[in-house]
Every structure is written in structure tokens, then in C-alpha cells.
Amino acid sequence: MKNIFLFCAIMLASNFAIGQILDPVSWDSKAEKISDTEYNLIFTATMDSGWYVYSQFLGEDGPIPTAFTFDENANVKFINKTTEKGDSKKEGYDEMFDMNLVKFGGTATFTQKVTVSKEVDKISGSLTYMTCDEMRCLPPQDVDFKIALGN
């Protein structure tokens, strides 16, 4: 009977531990039509309080920068680099990484302008990001996306 109780206690504890997987960042993506052939692809990261994602433009030896990879399509032309902004942008020295960097808390928006031919109805790809709070970092994650253009 003791062994059954011990087994049940271990199973309950392991289920609780598995249920505690952290997922402090959610992503949303959409297309904003500018003209018949131009769109802004908008990627919005929403972080739990105290969590951050990092800029695309970081030096080496630090956190993994946010990066966007678009599936190849000869009918899509990317205009300039993906821009970034956030309501809680922090820029400067970061003790955890012992370097100057840019990170976003709260909500961050990344925007890529594209020109497309009439045949393109969606743009797909993936984004990679890393998130940290003041005490720990989670491994980099990849998020696939498909953005309908709604021509």
C-alpha cells in the first residue's frame, strides 16, 4: 500500500512539473494593405510581465536576436529591413549578458514592407526569438506563420 501511495505521489508531482512549462510570449501576425501590390506584414509579440524579447540588431556573444525567415517566392519583393518598435523598449547595459543591447517588454511590433504580384495570396515563413526575465532565459523558439493577404 505504501508503494502505491508513493507511486501516486510521484505521478502527481511529475504532472504538476510538466504543467509548469513557461510560455511567456505570444505572437500574432497579419497583413495591412497599403495599395493593390504593397503590404506591411506585422508581427506582434506580447510578453508576460517581466519577460523580454530581443532586437533583431544585436552584437555577437549575447542573446539570440529576433529573426524572420520568409519562404522563397519570386513574386514577393521585400522593401528595406524589418522595423521594430515597442511600448517598453529598453536600450543599454544588461547585467545578465554583460553587454549593451536592445530588448522589448510588454508588446513589441516588427513590420516588414513587401511588394507582391496579384498571384500571391499568402506569405509564409518562420520567426525565431529568445525570451528572458531578470533571472533566467528560455531556449530560442521558432514560430511558423502564414499570413493571408486578402487580395
PDB file of all heavy atoms in Angstrom, residues 10 27 30 49 65 68-69 78 88 93 99 107 112 141:
ATOM      1  N   ILE A  10       4.400  10.472  -6.734  1.00  0.00           N
ATOM      2  CA  ILE A  10       5.395  10.795  -7.756  1.00  0.00           C
ATOM      3  C   ILE A  10       4.706  11.183  -9.058  1.00  0.00           C
ATOM      4  O   ILE A  10       5.098  12.149  -9.719  1.00  0.00           O
ATOM      5  CB  ILE A  10       6.376   9.619  -7.963  1.00  0.00           C
ATOM      6  CG1 ILE A  10       7.264   9.472  -6.723  1.00  0.00           C
ATOM      7  CG2 ILE A  10       7.211   9.813  -9.218  1.00  0.00           C
ATOM      8  CD1 ILE A  10       8.126   8.232  -6.715  1.00  0.00           C
ATOM      9  N   TRP A  27       2.643  35.331 -30.072  1.00  0.00           N
ATOM     10  CA  TRP A  27       2.860  36.049 -31.327  1.00  0.00           C
ATOM     11  C   TRP A  27       1.581  36.092 -32.143  1.00  0.00           C
ATOM     12  O   TRP A  27       0.827  35.125 -32.171  1.00  0.00           O
ATOM     13  CB  TRP A  27       3.942  35.360 -32.150  1.00  0.00           C
ATOM     14  CG  TRP A  27       5.322  35.567 -31.611  1.00  0.00           C
ATOM     15  CD1 TRP A  27       5.965  34.798 -30.696  1.00  0.00           C
ATOM     16  CD2 TRP A  27       6.216  36.631 -31.947  1.00  0.00           C
ATOM     17  NE1 TRP A  27       7.208  35.312 -30.447  1.00  0.00           N
ATOM     18  CE2 TRP A  27       7.390  36.430 -31.201  1.00  0.00           C
ATOM     19  CE3 TRP A  27       6.139  37.723 -32.809  1.00  0.00           C
ATOM     20  CZ2 TRP A  27       8.476  37.298 -31.297  1.00  0.00           C
ATOM     21  CZ3 TRP A  27       7.219  38.568 -32.898  1.00  0.00           C
ATOM     22  CH2 TRP A  27       8.375  38.359 -32.146  1.00  0.00           C
ATOM     23  N   LYS A  30      -0.232  39.561 -39.095  1.00  0.00           N
ATOM     24  CA  LYS A  30      -1.289  39.980 -40.012  1.00  0.00           C
ATOM     25  C   LYS A  30      -0.679  40.808 -41.132  1.00  0.00           C
ATOM     26  O   LYS A  30       0.462  41.260 -41.044  1.00  0.00           O
ATOM     27  CB  LYS A  30      -2.360  40.779 -39.283  1.00  0.00           C
ATOM     28  CG  LYS A  30      -1.885  42.115 -38.742  1.00  0.00           C
ATOM     29  CD  LYS A  30      -2.995  42.856 -38.042  1.00  0.00           C
ATOM     30  CE  LYS A  30      -2.494  44.216 -37.538  1.00  0.00           C
ATOM     31  NZ  LYS A  30      -3.554  44.971 -36.880  1.00  0.00           N
ATOM     32  N   SER A  49       4.379  39.970 -17.963  1.00  0.00           N
ATOM     33  CA  SER A  49       5.096  40.967 -17.177  1.00  0.00           C
ATOM     34  C   SER A  49       6.465  40.441 -16.748  1.00  0.00           C
ATOM     35  O   SER A  49       6.585  39.325 -16.249  1.00  0.00           O
ATOM     36  CB  SER A  49       4.263  41.324 -15.939  1.00  0.00           C
ATOM     37  OG  SER A  49       4.942  42.280 -15.172  1.00  0.00           O
ATOM     38  N   PRO A  65      19.084  37.075 -31.259  1.00  0.00           N
ATOM     39  CA  PRO A  65      18.208  38.155 -31.729  1.00  0.00           C
ATOM     40  C   PRO A  65      16.941  37.595 -32.366  1.00  0.00           C
ATOM     41  O   PRO A  65      16.926  36.465 -32.864  1.00  0.00           O
ATOM     42  CB  PRO A  65      19.063  38.884 -32.762  1.00  0.00           C
ATOM     43  CG  PRO A  65      20.074  37.898 -33.197  1.00  0.00           C
ATOM     44  CD  PRO A  65      20.294  36.947 -32.052  1.00  0.00           C
ATOM     45  N   PHE A  68      13.537  36.858 -38.725  1.00  0.00           N
ATOM     46  CA  PHE A  68      12.432  36.449 -39.589  1.00  0.00           C
ATOM     47  C   PHE A  68      12.992  35.779 -40.832  1.00  0.00           C
ATOM     48  O   PHE A  68      13.904  36.301 -41.466  1.00  0.00           O
ATOM     49  CB  PHE A  68      11.590  37.670 -39.979  1.00  0.00           C
ATOM     50  CG  PHE A  68      10.962  38.333 -38.781  1.00  0.00           C
ATOM     51  CD1 PHE A  68      11.645  39.300 -38.059  1.00  0.00           C
ATOM     52  CD2 PHE A  68       9.706  37.943 -38.358  1.00  0.00           C
ATOM     53  CE1 PHE A  68      11.082  39.883 -36.939  1.00  0.00           C
ATOM     54  CE2 PHE A  68       9.136  38.519 -37.241  1.00  0.00           C
ATOM     55  CZ  PHE A  68       9.816  39.487 -36.528  1.00  0.00           C
ATOM     56  N   THR A  69      12.435  34.630 -41.176  1.00  0.00           N
ATOM     57  CA  THR A  69      12.809  33.901 -42.383  1.00  0.00           C
ATOM     58  C   THR A  69      11.544  33.707 -43.199  1.00  0.00           C
ATOM     59  O   THR A  69      10.562  33.144 -42.694  1.00  0.00           O
ATOM     60  CB  THR A  69      13.417  32.528 -42.035  1.00  0.00           C
ATOM     61  OG1 THR A  69      14.519  32.731 -41.153  1.00  0.00           O
ATOM     62  CG2 THR A  69      13.875  31.806 -43.281  1.00  0.00           C
ATOM     63  N   PHE A  78      10.891  42.196 -50.889  1.00  0.00           N
ATOM     64  CA  PHE A  78      10.970  42.781 -49.549  1.00  0.00           C
ATOM     65  C   PHE A  78      11.600  44.163 -49.637  1.00  0.00           C
ATOM     66  O   PHE A  78      12.661  44.337 -50.234  1.00  0.00           O
ATOM     67  CB  PHE A  78      11.766  41.858 -48.631  1.00  0.00           C
ATOM     68  CG  PHE A  78      11.082  40.537 -48.436  1.00  0.00           C
ATOM     69  CD1 PHE A  78      11.347  39.463 -49.265  1.00  0.00           C
ATOM     70  CD2 PHE A  78      10.123  40.387 -47.457  1.00  0.00           C
ATOM     71  CE1 PHE A  78      10.692  38.260 -49.118  1.00  0.00           C
ATOM     72  CE2 PHE A  78       9.458  39.187 -47.296  1.00  0.00           C
ATOM     73  CZ  PHE A  78       9.737  38.114 -48.125  1.00  0.00           C
ATOM     74  N   SER A  88       7.664  49.168 -24.401  1.00  0.00           N
ATOM     75  CA  SER A  88       8.587  49.128 -23.271  1.00  0.00           C
ATOM     76  C   SER A  88       9.972  48.715 -23.768  1.00  0.00           C
ATOM     77  O   SER A  88      10.493  47.668 -23.413  1.00  0.00           O
ATOM     78  CB  SER A  88       8.069  48.153 -22.207  1.00  0.00           C
ATOM     79  OG  SER A  88       8.918  48.156 -21.088  1.00  0.00           O
ATOM     80  N   TYR A  93      22.979  48.822 -21.039  1.00  0.00           N
ATOM     81  CA  TYR A  93      23.754  47.725 -20.458  1.00  0.00           C
ATOM     82  C   TYR A  93      22.839  46.704 -19.785  1.00  0.00           C
ATOM     83  O   TYR A  93      21.941  47.060 -19.034  1.00  0.00           O
ATOM     84  CB  TYR A  93      24.752  48.282 -19.438  1.00  0.00           C
ATOM     85  CG  TYR A  93      25.604  47.214 -18.813  1.00  0.00           C
ATOM     86  CD1 TYR A  93      26.655  46.641 -19.522  1.00  0.00           C
ATOM     87  CD2 TYR A  93      25.344  46.764 -17.528  1.00  0.00           C
ATOM     88  CE1 TYR A  93      27.443  45.654 -18.963  1.00  0.00           C
ATOM     89  CE2 TYR A  93      26.130  45.777 -16.953  1.00  0.00           C
ATOM     90  CZ  TYR A  93      27.166  45.215 -17.677  1.00  0.00           C
ATOM     91  OH  TYR A  93      27.938  44.232 -17.125  1.00  0.00           O
ATOM     92  N   MET A  99      26.653  43.194 -21.541  1.00  0.00           N
ATOM     93  CA  MET A  99      26.814  43.928 -22.803  1.00  0.00           C
ATOM     94  C   MET A  99      25.660  44.906 -22.970  1.00  0.00           C
ATOM     95  O   MET A  99      24.643  44.807 -22.287  1.00  0.00           O
ATOM     96  CB  MET A  99      26.847  42.965 -23.997  1.00  0.00           C
ATOM     97  CG  MET A  99      25.558  42.186 -24.210  1.00  0.00           C
ATOM     98  SD  MET A  99      25.615  40.942 -25.520  1.00  0.00           S
ATOM     99  CE  MET A  99      25.691  41.963 -26.977  1.00  0.00           C
ATOM    100  N   THR A 107       4.663  44.822 -25.215  1.00  0.00           N
ATOM    101  CA  THR A 107       4.305  44.498 -26.599  1.00  0.00           C
ATOM    102  C   THR A 107       5.380  45.046 -27.532  1.00  0.00           C
ATOM    103  O   THR A 107       5.810  46.182 -27.371  1.00  0.00           O
ATOM    104  CB  THR A 107       2.948  45.120 -26.971  1.00  0.00           C
ATOM    105  OG1 THR A 107       1.952  44.643 -26.073  1.00  0.00           O
ATOM    106  CG2 THR A 107       2.539  44.761 -28.384  1.00  0.00           C
ATOM    107  N   GLN A 112       7.463  44.369 -41.719  1.00  0.00           N
ATOM    108  CA  GLN A 112       8.201  44.182 -42.969  1.00  0.00           C
ATOM    109  C   GLN A 112       7.319  44.611 -44.124  1.00  0.00           C
ATOM    110  O   GLN A 112       6.229  44.078 -44.310  1.00  0.00           O
ATOM    111  CB  GLN A 112       8.599  42.716 -43.152  1.00  0.00           C
ATOM    112  CG  GLN A 112       9.259  42.417 -44.484  1.00  0.00           C
ATOM    113  CD  GLN A 112      10.580  43.144 -44.672  1.00  0.00           C
ATOM    114  OE1 GLN A 112      11.521  42.938 -43.923  1.00  0.00           O
ATOM    115  NE2 GLN A 112      10.651  44.008 -45.681  1.00  0.00           N
ATOM    116  N   GLN A 141      13.050  29.834 -29.564  1.00  0.00           N
ATOM    117  CA  GLN A 141      11.901  29.132 -30.126  1.00  0.00           C
ATOM    118  C   GLN A 141      11.654  29.602 -31.554  1.00  0.00           C
ATOM    119  O   GLN A 141      11.907  30.762 -31.881  1.00  0.00           O
ATOM    120  CB  GLN A 141      10.644  29.388 -29.293  1.00  0.00           C
ATOM    121  CG  GLN A 141      10.706  28.758 -27.928  1.00  0.00           C
ATOM    122  CD  GLN A 141       9.375  28.836 -27.223  1.00  0.00           C
ATOM    123  OE1 GLN A 141       8.319  28.915 -27.834  1.00  0.00           O
ATOM    124  NE2 GLN A 141       9.411  28.814 -25.910  1.00  0.00           N
TER     125      GLN A 141
END
